[in-house]
Amino acid sequence: MAALRRGTAYVSFVRSSVRAIFSSSKAAVSKPRKCASVVYTAVASLAVGGGLCAVPFKQVENLSHDSLIRRAASLVTDSSSTFLSQTTLALIDAITEYSKAVHTLIALQRRYLASLGKLTPAEEDSVWQVIIGQRAEINDRQDDCKRLESAWINVVKLCETAAEAAYSSGAEHASITMSSNIQVALSQVKEAQKLSQDADKKLAETKVLEVQRMAQQAASSEEEEIPEAYLRED
């Protein structure tokens, strides 16, 4: 009970002090900020002295130009990393779809060559229509790869610039992270490009085989059309 009475007395004393300070501040209207500071200081000190729960007053951090520049550099590298990851993913998907389309064409052409001379003219025409359609799809996929690769190269240059700017501004951690992300993107795209290059190589080999088989088929057809009398020696 004694502690409660002491606490009540302190609260009453704080309230009366605040009212007295506010009433005196009316006579000095020209200095409102100073009066407010006196009020906050008085209330805080009295609250602590009376054993009440003190409310911490957080000081506003005084940021320098250098620290603000470093924060801005970190934001730039973060957004650039997001831009790079999204563009890299889109390019890898495009290259993958192109490689799949090439392998599909290779399979179609090899099946056609295996059945060469066994198909009716109508069946052969149907097969060629499918092959032509697949070649058109490959061209579309290739255009997508070129478009995304051009955009990806620009994004890589942007990220390199962001990494350099972050390093020069003192944000070494952001610069190192950005450089690491660039290396990962380069490595991933390189691996995807290897797959497409292998597919292109196999397609070229299939085209050579197709030319050879077509030439053999044409020569065989010509021999069949020559009358037997022309083939006998005199």
Side-chain angles (χ1 to χ4, degrees):
M1 293 297 290
L4 179 59
R5 285 196 296 271
R6 286 198 300 271
T8 304
Y10 276 121
V11 171
S12 300
F13 180 67
V14 169
R15 290 178 178 175
S16 60
S17 299
V18 171
R19 285 196 296 270
I21 293 172
F22 272 113
S23 61
S24 62
S25 65
K26 294 180 180 178
V29 181
S30 59
K31 299 180 179 180
R33 295 183 179 177
K34 185 176 181 180
C35 293
S37 177
V38 172
V39 172
Y40 294 147
T41 305
V43 173
S45 60
L46 288 172
V48 173
L52 301 178
C53 180
V55 178
F57 292 94
K58 184 177 181 181
Q59 297 293 330
V60 178
E61 186 178 1
N62 185 18
L63 296 176
S64 64
H65 289 299
D66 289 338
S67 61
L68 290 173
I69 290 174
R70 287 193 294 271
R71 290 190 177 191
S74 298
L75 291 175
V76 170
T77 53
D78 289 343
S79 59
S80 298
S81 296
T82 303
F83 194 8
L84 178 63
S85 63
Q86 292 297 327
T87 310
T88 301
L89 179 60
L91 177 57
I92 292 175
D93 286 345
I95 295 175
T96 302
E97 293 300 323
Y98 170 78
S99 300
K100 290 180 180 179
V102 171
H103 283 293
T104 301
L105 178 60
I106 292 173
L108 288 172
Q109 289 183 330
R110 288 183 176 178
R111 289 179 61 183
Y112 168 72
L113 293 177
S115 60
L116 197 62
K118 304 176 183 179
L119 300 174
T120 64
E123 292 174 340
E124 187 173 351
D125 183 68
S126 298
V127 172
W128 270 107
Q129 292 299 323
V130 175
I131 291 176
I132 292 172
Q134 189 63 29
R135 287 177 177 174
E137 181 179 352
I138 288 177
N139 291 334
D140 293 339
R141 299 294 185 185
Q142 194 172 36
D143 290 341
D144 290 340
C145 290
K146 290 179 179 178
R147 175 178 57 83
L148 290 171
E149 185 177 8
S150 178
W152 178 78
I153 291 174
N154 291 331
V155 175
V156 171
K157 293 179 181 178
L158 173 64
C159 292
E160 290 174 346
T161 302
E164 293 175 0
Y167 182 81
S168 63
S169 66
E172 290 87 358
H173 179 71
S175 177
I176 293 172
T177 302
M178 184 78 267
S179 299
S180 177
N181 292 338
I182 292 173
Q183 293 302 319
V184 171
L186 291 173
S187 177
Q188 291 176 342
V189 171
K190 185 176 180 180
E191 290 298 323
Q193 288 175 338
K194 284 182 179 180
L195 296 177
S196 67
Q197 290 171 358
D198 291 341
D200 290 337
K201 183 178 179 180
K202 292 180 180 180
L203 180 61
E205 294 173 353
T206 303
K207 288 182 178 179
V208 172
L209 180 61
E210 179 182 351
V211 171
Q212 293 175 350
R213 291 293 302 274
M214 294 294 290
Q216 293 175 357
Q217 183 67 19
S220 176
S221 299
E222 290 178 358
E223 290 179 359
E224 292 177 357
E225 292 177 358
I226 298 176
E228 185 178 355
Y230 290 98
L231 294 177
R232 292 200 303 265
E233 296 180 359
D234 293 337

